[in-house]
Amino acid sequence: MRFKLALVASILFGIGVAQTAKVAALTLTVAALQQPTPTSAKVVGHLYMQSNTIANEIVHFARRADGTLAEVERVATGGAGSGVFKPVSGQASAPNAFEGAGSVILAPGNKLLFATNGGDNTVSSFRVAAGGRLTLLDRQSTGEPVTGKSGTAKSLAYSPASHTLFVLHAFGPNHIRAFSEKAGKLTLRDARYSVNNATKTDRIPTQLVLSPDQKFLLVDILFDFRPAENADGSAKLVVANAPDKDGLVVFPIDSRGALREPIFNDAGGAGPFYIGFVKGRPGTFINGYAVSDGIAISHIDAKGHVTSGAAVQINTAAGKPSELCWLAISADGKRVYATNFGYGSLTSFALDGATLRILKDPANDPIPGDGTFRAVNGLVSSGPSDSWLSPDDAFLYQIFGNASTLIAYRVVKNGSLAEVSRHPIAYNSPQGLAGF
């Protein structure tokens, strides 16, 4: 999030009948090279990521029982990503272009996948076949114009009860727009919603998420005002929830999927970034803080009011802020894995009832980038962003944009992460992970 700017050949064949066999053999060889690497481990699931390149694509990986991945296909979204450009900060090239989370999501039942196209402010929907393959069904504009080099559509949440798809934009005032969904087709609704209030008229949210009962839409706010630049060229950042305790916006939802008047809550820490609800514990969620450098247990009541415990902070001796941003919560509700954007690492926490404690910090060996990117704390970082934990809690997958790699880790009982494999991805731009 610093503001100093860091920085195909076709072969034509003329062939005779005698060459046909040779060409057929060559075709078979090329086709074989394009198949996933053979392995004794069977395919147990699927993982999806958006390239966020200008010609945006969903990259579909088959997920094997040993945790490794094999790329299956790349399916065009029909829309534009932001590429390596970072709209919120204006950086020409930096990882985590969206400054957000949840840009690729699966609807319950895993039959539909939705993705944002941040470059042109559109949303794409896909049918998910039994074998995990994707078919593009629709692409629709969010209704918000693109001003400048890129749009900022960044985060999605889907309510099956009302067949409503919500999309969040970094820039307002119309931060939230909604679509009606029917058989994967999207129809934009007229309603527009803002996370601004009377005194903060240019806020930058990061993520929206539905409560498990689908009665509330929660939105974390990272900045109270759009980032600017100081006279010396450094970043001027007004972080949300510090000191004003209004960094978590909660919208009650009616039965048709319309949002009611927002409730401004204390997020529990500075720079709230990511919300993850704990399975089997209605109303309980974990919030991650980019500037308070930790996570906290929070609870939302029947009226949309939120209370939070004290944030458990990671080791910040290397520099502040750590930009702890993305979370992966285990299906058994006992582990939380936090991604530290500024450090190129993850931290694991144990969750026991109302208690959080650090298990491993860092949980992995920090991953270096190419040396061109520095985080807000001044450290050279690989800029890790979205992560995803397998449903059996056995493997965690992490995007390291500035290192152009997606790493598969095996989850170890003591909280550490053991690297299983690496998979090449686009430089800086990739965003979002969703799977089953």
Side-chain angles (χ1 to χ4, degrees), residues 171-239:
F171 299 159
N174 303 325
H175 294 101
I176 303 171
R177 298 300 302 269
F179 295 91
S180 296
E181 177 273 326
K182 185 176 182 179
K185 298 293 185 177
L186 303 173
T187 303
L188 184 67
R189 298 177 182 174
D190 291 334
R192 296 162 172 83
Y193 308 97
S194 178
V195 299
N196 292 335
N197 58 30
T199 60
K200 297 157 187 170
T201 58
D202 197 18
R203 304 184 97 185
I204 307 293
T206 61
Q207 178 211 28
L208 46 68
V209 63
L210 278 167
S211 60
D213 61 9
Q214 303 177 61
K215 293 182 179 179
F216 299 101
L217 187 69
L218 291 74
V219 186
D220 261 348
I221 311 300
L222 181 59
F223 300 123
D224 276 336
F225 296 92
R226 195 173 305 197
E229 190 171 301
N230 292 311
D232 63 0
S234 61
K236 181 180 180 180
L237 306 174
V238 182
V239 177

Side-chain angles (χ1 to χ4, degrees), residues 166 176 178 189 191 193 216-217 251-254 257-261:
F166 300 98
I176 303 171
R189 298 177 182 174
Y193 308 97
F216 299 101
L217 187 69
F251 293 87
I253 307 174
D254 70 18
L259 303 184
R260 298 173 180 168
E261 287 299 310

Side-chain angles (χ1 to χ4, degrees), residues 298-386:
S298 299
H299 186 81
I300 183 169
D301 67 18
K303 294 184 178 181
H305 299 118
V306 174
T307 55
S308 300
V312 178
Q313 190 179 66
I314 68 170
N315 185 344
T316 58
K320 291 186 177 184
S322 65
E323 296 183 79
L324 183 157
C325 292
W326 296 265
L327 305 179
I329 304 174
S330 63
D332 65 9
K334 296 180 179 180
R335 296 286 185 269
V336 181
Y337 298 87
T339 301
N340 307 308
F341 179 77
Y343 294 167
S345 68
L346 294 94
T347 301
S348 63
F349 297 80
L351 175 57
D352 183 11
T355 303
L356 272 172
R357 61 182 174 86
I358 290 175
L359 282 176
K360 286 290 181 179
D361 183 24
N364 66 319
D365 292 328
I367 304 301
D370 67 356
T372 63
F373 173 72
R374 289 183 181 271
V376 173
N377 56 30
L379 298 176
V380 175
S381 173
S382 56
S385 55
D386 299 82

